[in-house]
Amino acid sequence: MTHPRARVALHPDFRVGPIDRRLFGSFVEHLGRAVYTGIYEPGHAAADEHGFRRDVADLTRELGVTMLRYPGGNFVSNYRWEDGVGPVEDRKPFLDLAWRTVEPNLVGTDEFLQWAEREGFEPMMAVNLGTRGVEAAAALVEYCNGEAGTRWADLRIANGRTEPYGVHLWCLGNEMDGPWQIGHKDAHEYGKLAAEAGKAMKLVDPSISLVVCGSSSMQMDTFGEWEQTVLSYTYDLVDHVSMHAYYEELDGDRASFLGSGTAMDRFIDRVVASADAVGARRRSDKKITISFDEWNVWYLESRFPGETNLPVQRDAPRIIEDVYSALDAVVVGDLLVTLLNHADRVPVAALAQLVNVIAPIMTEPGGEAWRQPTFHPFATTARLAHGEALDVRVDCPTTTTKRHGDVPLVTAAATHDAETGALALFLTNRSAEPVAVDVEHLGLGVELTEGWRMVADHEAAVEGPAHARKVVDACWSAVDLAAHVSASSRTTTVTLAPESWTALAGTVRTA
């Protein structure tokens, strides 16, 4: 029986662009158990003196996360940041309208930023442009980044923090194109508000970078038109436009799910085209880049009842706690392949979310923290992908899917660190059969030294650490290089398991 075969051509002289470490960001929103009993649980055996769980922080570092977006998400559009600073005993709980949850207000701006600073994660802050606007946004920048001698900076100092936090990256609201958003606006309303808020924020601190809201998904009725209208108001002011996308298996359509990376690829291309069209009309040499600050596998249509169907709840309810399979992990790995291949235009990204809520890390209140299967491809990519993304060329068969049309059976991304000579190669086999991939590296000596792979399963995911460990034991393993890789001076052939994601690391030298 003849199995499919693919060809991948790579050379360090052909590059997409440098890998920005912020590509490996994540997201902490006041939603469900992401904060309370997620990153923060006073009284837990692993809690530090500030109430934050050390076991979660350790797993976050192991995951390779560099940056964390906060405090939302939909939550931010109904949030008064001033209510979450100062003595905790003076703060009042309030009803979060986005997730219909009583927010206890124990963690706010200072607690989060100081935790991120202690643990070495860059913060990415969002301002409320739903129910609030210019004044509150500028005040928050002043609170975070201002020097002593002004109202909001002095309030920060009075609250115990003398030095500015120096938050560099700021989101101008969240998903403002979405009718579900508290304070939803049309593109003209939002574009004008974002421009004025961003202008005021940069008058407070000219060094900051701004992310303007793009479409919440490629399926939005206003997609494309939204980007062009919003950027017509904000192009000269902002640095990035946001993208959000979630993927899931629907109606047992495994082939379409495995092809999700192709949908992400097309989404990025279309947003880039929309942004560049605005720049061309303005005769601008500036390039707006993308902050893909929400992406993941999320069973949004098949498992989540919708925000309006949630009862009002207290005490960190269990909301959107998807459990993941090895198939989900393969798709996450393939989405990372897509992000790497757009490194020139996607310097910032955030896996949504970090803990408990559609997350690679799960916790039990008072109990352990564990890794979901999706943890492993993200952590491995963050560990291996350094230097620059290479412009790899893939020649392979395609398959037709119901949701995405024709998609390639094999996807590939590669990175090269010129300083160390390190090479990393990431390969996805979307086929139900093994595929032999001939990696051509003419004029180069390539030596592979390690590899890891996730092979999709056919079992339903089950909640709990025991099942997660069972999936990982069965589906995540080191690559037997002797059995699955053969090399010559011009070509390295890698045999990929059916429905799998593979990461290979080694060195490259000029032959």
Side-chain angles (χ1 to χ4, degrees), residues 103-441:
E103 164 62 40
N105 229 354
L106 304 176
V107 172
T109 299
D110 288 297
E111 288 82 12
F112 174 79
L113 289 176
Q114 290 173 28
W115 173 72
E117 184 177 72
R118 288 193 302 272
E119 302 299 343
F121 310 126
E122 178 184 349
M124 178 186 193
M125 294 290 288
V127 299
N128 177 356
L129 294 188
T131 58
R132 307 192 77 191
V134 176
E135 183 178 8
L140 181 56
V141 176
E142 183 185 320
Y143 184 88
C144 292
N145 293 359
E147 299 286 348
T150 63
R151 175 187 178 187
W152 297 109
D154 284 349
L155 178 61
R156 182 197 71 235
I157 294 168
N159 289 335
R161 170 72 182 203
T162 303
E163 294 300 316
Y165 290 110
V167 179
H168 177 68
L169 195 55
W170 293 82
C171 300
L172 294 167
N174 174 76
E175 292 184 355
M176 297 308 300
D177 64 325
W180 58 84
Q181 202 68 210
I182 306 300
H184 161 65
K185 295 166 176 63
D186 68 30
H188 290 282
E189 291 172 319
Y190 170 68
K192 292 175 183 178
L193 176 59
E196 292 305 313
K199 179 174 69 177
M201 293 163 72
K202 282 201 166 185
L203 286 171
V204 175
D205 184 351
S207 72
I208 63 175
S209 290
L210 298 176
V211 181
V212 72
C213 289
S215 294
S216 300
S217 79
M218 196 164 58
Q219 286 67 48
M220 298 296 292
D221 291 340
T222 55
F223 172 64
E225 179 184 354
W226 173 274
E227 279 78 6
Q228 295 208 27
T229 300
V230 167
L231 287 172
S232 72
Y233 292 103
T234 61
Y235 196 91
D236 295 332
L237 182 74
V238 303
D239 304 278
H240 316 285
V241 59
S242 73
M243 291 178 60
H244 294 177
Y246 296 100
Y247 304 94
E248 64 182 300
E249 183 182 7
L250 291 169
D251 303 320
D253 186 357
R254 198 173 176 97
S256 290
F257 185 43
L258 284 161
S260 297
T262 295
M264 177 189 263
D265 181 71
R266 293 169 183 164
F267 188 13
I268 294 171
D269 285 343
R270 290 166 185 171
V271 173
V272 166
S274 294
D276 286 352
V278 177
R281 286 199 301 271
R282 301 172 77 87
R283 301 173 183 84
S284 175
D285 293 330
K286 178 181 179 178
K287 294 291 186 184
I288 297 290
T289 55
I290 289 167
S291 173
F292 213 132
D293 45 49
E294 288 188 32
W295 70 272
N296 204 346
V297 170
W298 177 12
Y299 287 86
L300 175 62
E301 294 185 39
S302 57
R303 297 180 190 171
F304 181 54
E307 299 94 322
T308 57
N309 294 318
L310 295 172
V312 173
Q313 300 178 85
R314 296 177 180 268
D315 303 322
R318 294 176 184 263
I319 301 175
I320 320 179
E321 297 196 3
D322 280 5
V323 291
Y324 291 122
S325 67
L327 173 63
D328 298 323
V330 169
V331 172
V332 165
D334 191 44
L335 296 172
L336 286 160
V337 166
T338 299
L339 291 174
L340 289 173
N341 282 330
H342 288 278
D344 58 332
R345 297 302 291 266
V346 187
V348 178
L351 179 72
Q353 294 192 16
L354 178 67
V355 191
N356 290 325
V357 178
I358 50 171
I361 300 170
M362 297 295 292
T363 69
E364 189 61 28
E368 66 179 300
W370 66 94
R371 307 163 189 82
Q372 291 230 61
T374 54
F375 182 103
H376 301 282
F378 188 101
T380 303
T381 305
R383 178 172 63 87
L384 297 181
H386 288 272
E388 293 195 278
L390 301 184
D391 185 6
V392 300
R393 301 302 171 94
V394 181
D395 181 15
C396 70
T398 62
T399 188
T400 301
T401 66
K402 185 185 301 183
R403 293 173 66 85
H404 313 307
D406 291 342
V407 304
L409 286 182
V410 171
T411 65
T415 64
H416 177 245
D417 188 336
E419 291 187 6
T420 64
L423 175 74
L425 180 63
F426 306 94
L427 300 162
T428 310
N429 177 13
R430 296 166 170 170
S431 169
E433 303 177 70
V435 174
V437 179
D438 298 314
V439 182
E440 296 182 354
H441 41 82

